Amino acid sequence: MSKRIVLSSDHAAIALRQTIAEHIAAKGWEVVDLGPTTPESTHYPERGAEAAERVASGDCALGIVLCGTGQGIMMAANKVKGIRCGVCHDTFSARMIRQHNDAQMLAMGARVIGEGLALDIVDAFLDAAFEGGRHGTRVDMIKALEA
């Protein structure tokens, strides 16, 4: 898998996104940070969709998106065909969406979790790998819903 990852957020999560970008770059990932960089209000649906398009096209292997709760930006990302994005506010869920759901994108809420937990969640997501097997059958069933 490529070590290229896209990050995006709305205005509520700029600082956390930048911290995550530094963290994963130090782990050897090539970070594509779509911003924003200024605190003016931005629309999370546009931010989530833009990042998801980068993953769906193959330009980036994985993506991390953030907004206030993580929910809205996750919903937008999941509207892009082929994307499986989950909101995680704990490390177990972050590991499981990779291992069992083959999720390529992680969403988090900057108003829900702190920096330390966010970095642990990112590590759990990045360190996990899809297990295949019975989970592959279920992921195929999810993909069939897009048709």
Side-chain angles (χ1 to χ4, degrees):
M1 174 172 43
S2 156
K3 294 226 18 165
R4 189 169 158 90
I5 188 167
V6 62
L7 272 67
S8 188
S9 72
D10 69 359
H11 56 279
I14 293 171
L16 183 56
R17 189 194 74 246
Q18 291 171 335
T19 298
I20 291 168
E22 291 173 13
H23 177 76
I24 60 180
K27 292 178 164 285
W29 285 85
E30 179 186 350
V31 176
V32 177
D33 189 340
L34 301 179
T37 57
T38 60
E40 290 82 35
S41 182
T42 63
H43 301 297
Y44 61 80
E46 294 171 346
R47 312 304 306 185
E50 182 181 6
E53 290 289 350
R54 294 286 187 108
V55 175
S57 73
D59 180 47
C60 295
L62 298 172
I64 299 173
V65 290
L66 303 102
C67 66
T69 64
Q71 299 293 342
I73 203 162
M74 175 271 302
M75 291 177 193
N78 278 321
K79 294 296 182 182
V80 174
K81 186 172 180 160
I83 294 300
R84 289 174 305 285
C85 180
V87 174
C88 297
H89 294 131
D90 63 87
T91 57
F92 178 77
S93 295
R95 191 170 46 257
M96 289 296 104
I97 66 169
R98 290 285 299 133
Q99 291 178 343
H100 290 191
N101 308 118
D102 198 20
Q104 321 97 311
M105 294 187 70
L106 167 68
M108 293 184 289
R111 294 178 177 152
V112 178
I113 58 173
E115 180 181 299
L117 179 55
L119 296 179
D120 287 346
I121 291 167
V122 166
D123 288 345
F125 179 76
L126 295 179
D127 292 344
F130 183 51
E131 293 177 351
R134 71 183 188 280
H135 306 298
T137 301
R138 294 168 185 155
V139 169
D140 288 342
M141 293 170 76
I142 293 169
K143 291 176 184 177
L145 295 171
E146 294 179 335

